[in-house]
Amino acid sequence: MTPVAEGPLLVEGPVEIVLPDGSVILCERPVVALCTCRRTLRAPFCDTSHRSRPRATRAARSNATDAAASGPAEESGPS
């Protein structure tokens, strides 16, 4: 297996993938790209959705959550 930075997990095939519902997918390709960003519409396979917008870092997500929790900023100006 080869993790790709900001991308999928590449797995040398053939592989059997067991899904959460217990069903099994057999993929006989030489290399399978498995999604790690959770944006794919073809789970568990990568459909390059991660390219449309960069994955937020943990610090950026934390800052966005803090800003949303504090509410809208008040504007200062002439009264």
Side-chain angles (χ1 to χ4, degrees):
M1 290 188 276
T2 306
V4 176
E6 302 300 321
L9 178 65
L10 301 178
V11 181
E12 290 187 34
V15 297
E16 283 187 9
I17 302 167
V18 180
L19 300 177
D21 67 1
S23 61
V24 177
I25 298 173
L26 175 61
C27 189
E28 296 189 15
R29 293 177 177 236
V31 176
V32 177
L34 300 177
C35 178
T36 59
C37 74
R38 299 183 188 162
R39 293 187 189 119
T40 186
L41 298 176
R42 299 183 57 232
F45 302 103
C46 177
D47 67 1
T48 67
S49 292
H50 61 272
R51 293 181 187 170
S52 62
R53 67 176 190 253
R55 187 179 203 175
T57 63
R58 182 174 291 182
R61 283 192 305 265
S62 177
N63 291 341
T65 303
D66 292 344
S70 66
E74 292 184 22
E75 293 183 25
S76 60
S79 307

